[in-house]
Amino acid sequence: MVALTQSYWPADDSEPIVESTVGDVLRAAAAAVPDRVALVEGRRAGTGRRSWTYAALLDQADGVARALLGRFAPGERVAVWAPNIPEWQLLRYGAALAGLTLVPINPAYRPAELGPVLEQSGAAGIFLLSEYRRVSLAEGLDAVLPQVLRLRERIFFETWPDFCATASPTERLPQVAPADPALLLYTSGTTGSPKGALLRHRGITNNGRLLAQRLGAEDGQTWINFLPLFNVGGSVISGLAAPAHRATEVLANFDPGLVLHLIETERVNMMVGPPTMFIALMEDRNFARCDLASLRAIGAGATVVPADVARRIAATFGVPCSILYGQTEASGIITQTWLDDTEADQAETIGQPLPQVEVKIIDPGTGAIVPPGTPGELCARGYQVMAGYLDLPEATAKTLDAEGWLHTGDICSMDRRGYCRVEGRRADVIIRGGQNIYPREIEQVLYTHPAVAEVAVVGIPQAKYGEVVAAFIRPAPGPAPSGKELRAFCREHLAAYKIPRHWVFVDAFPMTPSGKIQKAVLRETFIRQQIPRLAPDPPAPTPVGG
């Protein structure tokens, strides 16, 4: 391997891009293995667990497409507001065959969040459950209808058979191109209002295929998909990795006990998720009793995976753990470690770029490519980069430059082999007395303390220094640590100015549906409560999943 002289990785074209659509992926699998199980409803045994072969899945998706075309025209956008249910996937395939763009929406959204997404997306229709977690989605939709002028159809999943019965066999399916939009995914909105990233068929189908390939996927394996389908993790990273390799997808909503049960009973081989979810699985009281021998590999991503957690995942599950890095605007994954990487590379890096992706690390101020090992903003360019934020040209221009580079906002470094490391988010950098502090460095240290289960480090405004460091700790089961103890531990590994001034102990973290800790919520809560001193020693924590 040629050693890089600058932090730039040219696109590896040894693996070609397949000019495909989501419908093409399903058709290819159904033609090759029509009788293989394609989709399994992830429920506990004895509760009527439904399944579909690839032939049946294509047949039903074809019917869904024809029913959709009786109500919508190719090119229109249709929203879906529901948790992970098989009908969601049938709708996704049907929309792809019909040339519609799907707009997934978090079922936990309340009317104040739902309305702006429906209005900004211009959705012509919406599919939804009437209720989710004892909250009426029907009433929530009614509340926003006056402000959503372009929405003309609403279909409840409880009436799914009736909707499918409206399919006309004479309805002609359109020609859908790989460059056509497939998904309009709304970002989590950590700064300002959520923005809809428009993703193309070519980008999501190839990204799902290539990340699975690096994960060691083989034909006909079984994947479990417990990531939300309204997120790029569920809809692309797991949702398209499986059919690209003619695999069986076990679709579930995340519950640690249920996921472990499904791994055992469905003999699951592959799974992808954020570190927080794997921590919850490992801490579940049934973990030690579950037969997980069928697992072959794990992909961990969606948020930064601390080195100690990466090592713990691989050791506890007893299979290789590939680290994935990316974002919604890149259709999923940008870089990924290889299964045969060294233990240090697996735990401490985010791997090399996937095929057909250019990556560079630039000085955020000048835009110049930095030398190897120097932190800067990671930028990516390739087939998978979004078309842009829908109807938001100014926001698009801030993220996609004129040369097609996606500016991720992540501070990373690249070594001479092309392996990258995440130093932190540009927005998360803490500036204390003029010195930059990267929270990830402090979090990595604290994750090595045996009494720490999870940690999040944020900057807190302070008059003298501008910002000071605060560490939020979820203790591991057993004797809880004190702030004094953790401060002394940090002093052994970090410069004095990096050591947290405030220590806050929590039983659980506020999380996004994709498994990311909501640091902004922690920061805002801390400021609102105006905690003036070190938190007292914590009470005994409640283990996740216990």
Side-chain angles (χ1 to χ4, degrees):
M1 180 183 297
V2 178
L4 301 178
T5 58
Q6 56 181 349
S7 298
Y8 169 73
W9 180 273
D12 173 9
D13 60 3
S14 61
E15 181 68 36
I17 293 299
V18 177
E19 293 297 323
S20 59
T21 67
V22 172
D24 292 336
V25 172
L26 178 58
R27 286 173 174 139
V33 289
D35 298 326
R36 181 176 293 170
V37 175
L39 180 65
V40 175
E41 183 178 29
R43 304 174 64 182
R44 290 193 177 274
T47 57
R49 196 179 293 173
R50 297 176 292 167
S51 65
W52 290 257
T53 65
Y54 270 106
L57 191 61
L58 176 59
D59 180 66
Q60 291 198 26
D62 183 273
V64 171
R66 296 178 194 280
L68 286 168
L69 290 171
R71 299 168 184 250
F72 308 102
E76 288 195 297
R77 291 181 284 276
V78 175
V80 53
W81 194 29
N84 288 10
I85 56 175
E87 288 77 11
W88 205 115
Q89 284 290 50
L90 288 167
L91 176 63
R92 186 261 278 279
Y93 285 119
L97 293 171
L100 302 175
T101 301
L102 207 61
V103 185
I105 301 176
N106 185 344
Y109 271 11
R110 306 311 297 266
E113 300 163 301
L114 171 69
V117 170
L118 287 178
E119 177 61 22
Q120 202 277 331
S121 69
I126 184 171
F127 286 76
L128 69 157
L129 283 176
S130 60
E131 184 179 290
Y132 174 67
R133 293 181 177 175
R134 299 182 181 179
V135 174
S136 174
L137 302 190
E139 292 178 2
L141 180 60
D142 285 340
V144 304
L145 283 179
Q147 72 187 73
V148 186
L149 303 180
R150 287 173 285 183
L151 189 77
R152 64 176 188 269
E153 298 275 355
R154 57 175 171 176
I155 299 97
F156 290 95
F157 279 116
E158 287 87 349
T159 65
W160 181 254
D162 296 332
F163 164 75
C164 293
T166 65
S168 171
T170 61
E171 192 76 58
R172 296 184 62 182
L173 300 185
Q175 289 290 327
V176 182
D180 288 345
L183 289 173
L184 182 62
L185 289 179
Y186 278 80
T187 61
S188 56
T190 54
T191 56
S193 300
K195 301 180 291 291
L198 200 57
L199 306 183
R200 302 179 177 96
H201 283 267
R202 179 194 296 112
I204 63 176
T205 56
N206 282 283
N207 201 259
R209 176 178 64 89
L210 293 172
L211 72 90
Q213 184 173 293
R214 187 168 292 188
L215 194 57
E218 298 178 1
D219 182 84
Q221 290 181 317
T222 298
W223 289 64
I224 187 166
N225 185 5
F226 49 72
L227 298 174
L229 289 173
F230 60 81
N231 178 275
V232 72
S235 59
V236 177
I237 295 174
S238 286
L240 285 174
H245 291 268
R246 300 180 291 196
T248 298
E249 176 189 10
V250 180
L251 182 65
N253 291 286
F254 186 75
D255 170 81
L258 173 62
V259 169
L260 291 171
H261 172 74
L262 291 170
I263 293 172
E264 181 176 66
T265 58
E266 293 293 334
R267 310 309 298 159
V268 168
N269 308 121
M270 314 287 279
M271 62 177 173
V272 174
T276 50
M277 290 184 177
F278 291 126
I279 289 171
L281 291 175
M282 292 185 291
E283 291 182 351
D284 188 85
R285 62 176 178 268
N286 294 315
F287 183 85
R289 296 195 295 270
C290 286
D291 178 5
L292 308 179
S294 61
L295 284 175
R296 294 292 175 265
I298 290 173
T303 186
V304 175
V305 184
D308 194 60
V309 174
R311 293 186 176 99
R312 182 184 170 198
I313 291 171
T316 305
F317 283 94
V319 296
C321 177
S322 176
I323 304 302
L324 302 87
Y325 162 82
Q327 59 181 209
T328 299
E329 291 85 345
S331 297
I333 302 305
I334 298 173
T335 71
Q336 184 178 349
T337 61
W338 302 80
L339 292 185
D340 59 357
D341 276 338
T342 65
E343 187 269 347
D345 283 339
Q346 286 284 19
E348 299 169 12
T349 81
I350 53 174
Q352 296 173 318
L354 286 179
Q356 300 285 354
V357 183
E358 279 184 277
V359 171
K360 64 179 180 179
I361 310 294
I362 64 169
D363 183 306
T366 67
I369 299 176
V370 300
T374 304
E377 183 180 16
L378 187 145
C379 300
R381 181 167 66 178
Y383 71 91
Q384 88 281 35
V385 171
M386 68 174 179
Y389 295 120
L390 180 70
D391 295 336
L392 295 173
E394 292 184 3
T396 299
K398 290 180 180 179
T399 303
L400 284 178
D401 66 26
E403 296 180 340
W405 286 99
L406 172 68
H407 291 249
T408 65
D410 288 325
I411 300 299
C412 301
S413 61
M414 179 187 293
D415 67 21
R416 295 184 181 277
R417 304 168 301 153
Y419 280 77
C420 299
R421 289 173 168 79
V422 175
E423 310 293 345
R425 289 285 295 173
R426 284 184 66 177
D428 288 342
V429 174
I430 301 168
I431 304 177
R432 180 189 183 278
Q435 299 189 80
N436 288 354
I437 300 173
Y438 296 104
R440 174 168 164 76
E441 180 184 10
I442 304 169
E443 291 166 352
Q444 292 274 37
V445 168
L446 287 168
Y447 265 112
T448 65
H449 193 288
V452 173
E454 290 182 279
V455 58
V457 170
V458 303
I460 301 297
Q462 200 254 10
K464 181 178 180 180
Y465 294 104
E467 285 184 297
V468 293
V469 181
F472 292 77
I473 305 291
R474 183 173 72 81
S482 66
K484 182 178 180 180
E485 175 188 345
L486 294 178
R487 178 185 290 274
F489 180 77
C490 286
R491 192 175 293 120
E492 298 176 9
H493 304 279
L494 296 168
Y497 72 92
K498 299 178 184 178
I499 297 173
R501 175 174 178 177
H502 300 289
W503 300 89
V504 183
F505 296 87
V506 300
D507 290 333
F509 284 107
M511 310 292 288
T512 68
S514 59
K516 298 179 183 179
I517 295 174
Q518 294 180 305
K519 289 189 174 184
V521 174
L522 295 175
R523 183 185 297 108
E524 291 164 6
T525 302
F526 186 101
I527 294 171
R528 185 172 61 250
Q529 295 177 347
Q530 297 181 337
I531 302 174
R533 56 186 173 78
L534 294 181
D537 289 351
T542 302
V544 172

